[in-house]
Amino acid sequence: MPTQHHIVGLVFNDFEALDLFGPLGAIVPRSDYYTLELVHVHNLGAPNGVESSIKNGIGIMPSLSLAEFLKRGRHFHTLFLPGGFGMIPLVWDPFLLQQIGRLVDRASNVFTVCTGSVLLAATGRLNGHKATTNKLLFDEETQKCMSNDFIIQRGRRLYVYVHADLPPQDPNVQWQKHARWVEDGKFVTSSGVTAGIDAGFAFVANTFVAPENRKADEWSSSNTSNGGCTKAISDFDREKALKHARLIASSIEYKWDEDPTNDPFADLPMTADDFRKNCGT
């Protein structure tokens, strides 16, 4: 039983800020149980290693590169993958996907937000599992069926994504369109952006251990691609964990929807082309 739960957040250039700061900003500072370490994928030293968000230029200072983290072999419990347009070039980097896959194999839990699940799927570790992702581009991301170039302008930046930019999807991933978030084995995948906050509280309800139940760390990660915990959480109290999740939500004045199937954005009549025309600035 861990006395603390270590989360490793993988960040990259142009990740979506709210994907990361939404769920983890709500969870980590409000508990002495969860700790967070940010790892960047580009293996560059500062200042080149500073990753920025596409949304608003927020800069963060990751503590390690992915290569350094893998070399040190640090123990952790959960791997967190945000989404964002910056993940698109990453899914075509076979060496990087291999490195991320090694982290996935070591993690007891893997939590993705928005298109972070597309990056996870590109490692092959989601094969045979249910998952969800951003609903605005759900068909494009999960079926690679985009018929036209997709152009988004963000301020002075122009992003052009053609059909070939999207990763080839393995048909063995069981994509769920009508889902705010999906839990399958050690994987938690959420829909777009703010859905990660709802999924984050569900994550707390499934992992939080009350102080009186904590012992020496006996919780080790499985070294299999679809593993999970090698030891059950013997002192885990679901009622206490759920109460803690609800308490956090209340403390930040957030109305947590505890139903993962309640996804009001799954059938909105907005297409990628509509997004390009109306939300491009």
Side-chain angles (χ1 to χ4, degrees):
M1 173 60 57
T3 56
Q4 284 191 311
H5 186 111
H6 301 290
I7 301 172
V8 171
L10 198 63
V11 294
F12 45 86
N13 189 44
D14 284 347
F15 73 93
E16 172 57 53
L18 196 53
D19 287 4
L20 178 74
F21 300 123
L24 297 187
I27 296 169
V28 176
R30 290 165 178 82
S31 171
D32 63 349
Y33 183 58
Y34 297 102
T35 65
L36 173 64
E37 182 170 26
L38 296 178
V39 175
H40 64 83
V41 304
H42 297 302
N43 300 329
L44 299 174
N48 294 324
V50 176
E51 308 303 328
S52 62
S53 165
I54 186 176
K55 269 289 194 183
N56 45 23
I58 293 176
I60 64 170
M61 188 68 71
S63 59
L64 288 172
S65 70
L66 178 54
E68 290 171 331
F69 187 85
L70 286 169
K71 184 177 180 179
R72 295 188 184 186
R74 292 188 180 183
H75 175 66
F76 66 100
H77 299 92
T78 295
L79 176 64
F80 182 89
L81 298 174
F85 293 114
M87 69 89 196
I88 290 182
L90 306 184
V91 300
W92 291 107
D93 186 333
F95 180 70
L96 177 60
L97 293 178
Q98 184 183 52
Q99 289 185 310
I100 296 174
R102 289 170 59 191
L103 284 185
V104 173
D105 293 344
R106 287 171 50 188
S108 297
N109 309 279
V110 181
F111 182 1
T112 72
V113 176
C114 198
T115 54
S117 60
V118 177
L119 179 58
L120 175 60
T123 69
R125 299 319 197 266
L126 268 183
N127 293 350
H129 291 276
K130 294 180 180 179
T132 194
T133 188
N134 179 289
K135 296 309 179 332
L136 179 62
L137 298 175
F138 185 85
D139 291 337
E140 288 82 356
E141 291 163 347
T142 62
Q143 301 174 24
K144 197 181 177 186
C145 63
M146 187 179 294
S147 58
N148 299 309
D149 292 358
F150 180 41
I151 304 174
I152 297 177
Q153 184 173 352
R154 289 288 188 184
R156 297 180 179 178
R157 298 184 180 182
L158 187 66
Y159 298 85
V160 182
Y161 300 130
V162 297
H163 186 113
D165 285 331
L166 297 172
Q169 293 299 331
D170 193 305
N172 292 322
V173 179
Q174 302 171 34
W175 293 105
Q176 309 294 304
K177 188 169 186 178
H178 292 268
R180 186 73 168 158
W181 74 89
V182 171
E183 300 173 45
D184 188 353
K186 71 177 186 178
F187 300 106
V188 178
T189 57
S190 87
S191 185
V193 194
T194 59
I197 303 176
D198 285 330
F201 288 122
F203 171 79
V204 170
N206 288 325
T207 61
F208 178 77
V209 178
E212 63 271 19
N213 295 118
R214 298 173 195 170
K215 299 178 182 178
D217 193 348
E218 299 173 339
W219 192 13
S220 59
S221 60
S222 170
N223 289 320
T224 60
S225 61
N226 61 352
C229 302
T230 58
K231 182 177 179 64
I233 312 178
S234 57
D235 293 328
F236 173 74
D237 189 316
R238 168 70 178 181
E239 184 176 347
K240 290 181 181 179
L242 183 58
K243 180 180 179 180
H244 183 71
R246 290 169 174 167
L247 180 64
I248 295 176
S250 178
S251 72
I252 63 173
E253 300 186 9
Y254 183 80
K255 187 177 181 180
W256 174 31
D257 188 342
E258 299 180 27
D259 182 3
T261 67
N262 183 21
D263 187 357
F265 301 98
D267 295 314
L268 288 182
M270 186 175 185
T271 65
D273 192 54
D274 293 331
F275 182 80
R276 180 192 65 186
K277 293 177 181 178
N278 300 319
C279 305
T281 57

